[in-house]
Amino acid sequence: MSDTTIFAYWLLNLEGVPAYSLASIGIGFAIGVSVLGAAWGILTTGSSLVGAAIKAPRIRSKNLVSVIFCEAVAIYGVIMSIILQTKVSAPKLKDNTPEDMDKYMKRILYSGYSVFNSGVTVGLSNLFCGVAVGITGSGCALADAQNASLFVKILIIEIFGSALGLFGVIVGIIMSSPASFQMEI
């Protein structure tokens, strides 16, 4: 089987998926994988925080900032899924020519792929953001238990890790901005 045959086979399968289904899968991916990234970060940070708090109980309250950064990753996914959901709407069809309907169907397909790709981008960026914030938060808790002067320094690095999720949301908004399931014909 040649590469072009394999590509054509997958292309036929993707063309068979309705545009509204693609959009819904993208929206679900944005929120689901973002929550997974947040959970992973909270697990990593929380377990280190609890372990390090045995040696130095003073770190319990101030290191909760790391857990809050991880929760923000899930909120990024919720916000983006709400933004993407506003793009999806039922079609308003009129009596149109076949050429108009062809343009409209291409617009719906474009919008479906746009929302799907935006959801995948946001979900994956928030997954990696949650992992980065979780690992950095874990290191912050352990370092703070050893030396209290390291807390602010590592917290700044954690803020840079959290920016990955914001970049993903911004890219997702840019990717989905031309998507519209409505078209004036």
Side-chain angles (χ1 to χ4, degrees), residues 66-128:
S66 301
V67 175
I68 292 169
F69 280 150
C70 291
E71 289 175 3
V73 173
I75 292 171
Y76 297 156
V78 170
I79 290 169
M80 196 60 202
S81 65
I82 290 170
I83 291 171
L84 292 176
Q85 186 62 39
T86 61
K87 303 274 185 191
V88 180
S89 60
K92 296 176 185 171
L93 297 177
K94 303 173 187 172
D95 294 329
N96 295 313
T97 64
E99 293 83 22
D100 289 341
M101 291 305 292
D102 186 48
K103 288 179 190 175
Y104 184 67
M105 294 308 289
K106 287 179 182 176
R107 182 69 187 173
I108 287 178
L109 245 144
Y110 174 80
S111 298
Y113 281 119
S114 177
V115 170
F116 173 76
N117 290 332
S118 177
V120 169
T121 301
V122 170
L124 289 177
S125 70
N126 283 334
L127 174 68
F128 299 136

Side-chain angles (χ1 to χ4, degrees), residues 7 21 24 35 54 56 65 80 89-91 97 114 116 120 126 134 150 156 162-163 173:
F7 177 74
S21 297
S24 297
V35 169
I54 293 171
V65 172
M80 196 60 202
S89 60
T97 64
S114 177
F116 173 76
V120 169
N126 283 334
L150 293 175
I156 291 171
S162 181
I173 289 172

